[in-house]
Amino acid sequence: MKIKISADLLDGLVLALLERKDYYGYALTQDMQAVIEISESTMYPILRRLQKNNYLTTYDQPFQGRNRRYYRIAPAGTQHLEQIRKMWVNYKVSLDNILLGEAKGKHYG
């Protein structure tokens, strides 16, 4: 069984990897696939959307006679990533409270 990942969480995962280093698309997809199931046909629309929203910048670098397009996190992307991280912490705590029974509130028993 797979748990579906929201667009916000996918954006956060991509931005978190790009916070560490610049990536070209194929390498980014490979590193994402080490953690979640994602195809290149899913990854490139995410990258285009993040770039359109000014969260990423791109540059080309020659490699074996061809250009590779690299993606770099932009300052707005860093800010957006911090918002996603805050949302993730709140979301994770809420899910853990229910799934793992970590809360003993009025409605949890």
Side-chain angles (χ1 to χ4, degrees):
M1 182 175 102
K2 294 188 291 187
I3 295 177
K4 296 197 189 257
I5 297 177
S6 72
D8 287 333
L9 189 51
L10 282 172
D11 289 356
L13 293 170
V14 169
L15 291 170
L17 285 174
L18 289 169
E19 183 180 50
R20 297 176 191 153
K21 67 177 188 176
D22 298 353
Y23 274 92
Y24 61 95
Y26 180 76
L28 182 59
T29 302
Q30 294 297 304
D31 279 6
M32 288 281 287
Q33 286 175 337
V35 180
I36 63 169
E37 287 186 32
I38 190 167
S39 66
E40 284 183 72
S41 62
T42 300
M43 180 63 73
Y44 285 102
I46 294 167
L47 292 169
R48 282 191 295 273
R49 183 180 69 249
L50 291 171
Q51 186 179 6
K52 180 181 174 194
N53 290 331
N54 297 315
Y55 298 145
L56 301 180
T57 60
T58 61
Y59 62 93
D60 292 336
Q61 191 143 359
F63 178 78
Q64 296 181 350
R66 297 178 22 192
N67 277 336
R68 277 188 177 162
R69 172 140 305 157
Y70 281 81
Y71 297 88
R72 174 182 290 155
I73 193 168
T78 301
Q79 292 173 348
H80 187 58
L81 176 57
E82 286 309 311
Q83 291 173 338
I84 292 170
R85 283 180 170 144
K86 288 175 187 173
M87 289 187 305
W88 169 251
V89 169
N90 293 332
Y91 185 63
K92 182 183 178 314
V93 167
S94 296
L95 293 180
D96 285 347
N97 287 339
I98 295 170
L99 292 172
L100 304 176
E102 293 182 359
K104 298 287 183 195
K106 183 162 87 172
H107 301 287
Y108 296 114

